[in-house]
C-alpha cells in the first residue's frame, strides 16, 4: 500500500483497509497472531491482527469489502489465564458485540472456539476483536482464526492495517 499526501494534510489517525480477492471456492480463513491483550482492561485489535491491542475500538476497525458470513471463531493463547481468571474474545461489528465469542478460562485451557454462531456482514461493515479480561489473567499472545463464507461465490478478502499515523509530509 502506498500513500502519497497532497499538500500538508493534518493528522489522519490510524488507518485500516481491506482488499477484495476472487477465489475459486466459497471459504476463507482470516486471522493471525497478535501481541498480549491487556490483562487489566478491555482492549481491541483488528480482525487482521495488526499487533498491539488498544483501548479505543475505533482505532482498529477495518471495513469489509463484500457481503457474507463469519463463523468458526477460534482462539489460542500462549498460556492459560489462571485459576478463576479468563479472557473473552468477541467479534465486533460496527462497534457492537455480535455474539460470535470465545472464552478461555482456568489454569489449564489455552484454546477455545465458537462453532455455533454465524454472523452476517455487508460491504462497509466495520469489524474488530474485543478482549475482555476477568481476574487479571496471565498475559501472553493470542492467535485468532475465523472462517468467512462470501455471499457471491469466489469472492473473499484480505485485511490489512496499522496502528501508526500516515506520514503527512512525504510518500
Amino acid at each position: 500500500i502506498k500513500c502519497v499526501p497532497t499538500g500538508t494534510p493534518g493528522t489522519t489517525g490510524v488507518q485500516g483497509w481491506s482488499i477484495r480477492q476472487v477465489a475459486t471456492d466459497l471459504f476463507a480463513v482470516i486471522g493471525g497472531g497478535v501481541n498480549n491483550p491487556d490483562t487489566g482492561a478491555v482492549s481491541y485489535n483488528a480482525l487482521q491482527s495488526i499487533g498491539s491491542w488498544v483501548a479505543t475500538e475505533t482505532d482498529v476497525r477495518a471495513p469489509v469489502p463484500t457481503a457474507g458470513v463469519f463463523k468458526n471463531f477460534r482462539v489460542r493463547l500462549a498460556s492459560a489465564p489462571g485459576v478463576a481468571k479468563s479472557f473473552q474474545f468477541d467479534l465486533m461489528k460496527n462497534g457492537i458485540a455480535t455474539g460470535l465469542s470465545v472464552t478461555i478460562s482456568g489454569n489449564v485451557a489455552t484454546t477455545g472456539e465458537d462453532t455455533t454462531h454465524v454472523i452476517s456482514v455487508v460491504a462497509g461493515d466495520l469489524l474488530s476483536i474485543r478482549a475482555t479480561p476477568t481476574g487479571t489473567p496471565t498475559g501472553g499472545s493470542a492467535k485468532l482464526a475465523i472462517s468467512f463464507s462470501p455471499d457471491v461465490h469466489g469472492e473473499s478478502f484480505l485485511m490489512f492495517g496499522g496502528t501508526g499515523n500516515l506520514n503527512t509530509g512525504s510518500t
Side-chain angles (χ1 to χ4, degrees), residues 72-97:
N72 301 324
F73 185 28
R74 291 179 168 83
V75 179
R76 180 179 185 89
L77 298 174
S79 57
V83 175
K85 300 175 183 182
S86 66
F87 271 112
Q88 179 176 322
F89 296 89
D90 296 290
L91 176 65
M92 305 292 287
K93 179 173 83 171
N94 301 321
I96 300 169

Side-chain angles (χ1 to χ4, degrees), residues 1 57 60 67 69 95 120 124 129 132 140 142 154-155 160 164 170:
I1 301 292
E57 193 252 350
V60 292
V69 296
S120 296
I129 300 292
T132 305
E155 288 189 350
F160 301 95
S170 65

Side-chain angles (χ1 to χ4, degrees), residues 61-146:
R61 287 181 181 178
V64 176
T66 189
V69 296
F70 284 94
K71 58 187 175 181
N72 301 324
F73 185 28
R74 291 179 168 83
V75 179
R76 180 179 185 89
L77 298 174
S79 57
V83 175
K85 300 175 183 182
S86 66
F87 271 112
Q88 179 176 322
F89 296 89
D90 296 290
L91 176 65
M92 305 292 287
K93 179 173 83 171
N94 301 321
I96 300 169
T98 62
L100 193 54
S101 180
V102 173
T103 300
I104 302 173
S105 59
N107 204 33
V108 177
T110 57
T111 62
E113 64 183 16
D114 180 344
T115 58
T116 304
H117 298 96
V118 176
I119 305 305
S120 296
V121 295
V122 297
D125 280 342
L126 300 172
L127 301 180
S128 66
I129 300 292
R130 177 178 67 190
T132 305
T134 300
T136 315
T138 301
S141 63
K143 293 181 177 38
L144 312 170
I146 192 167

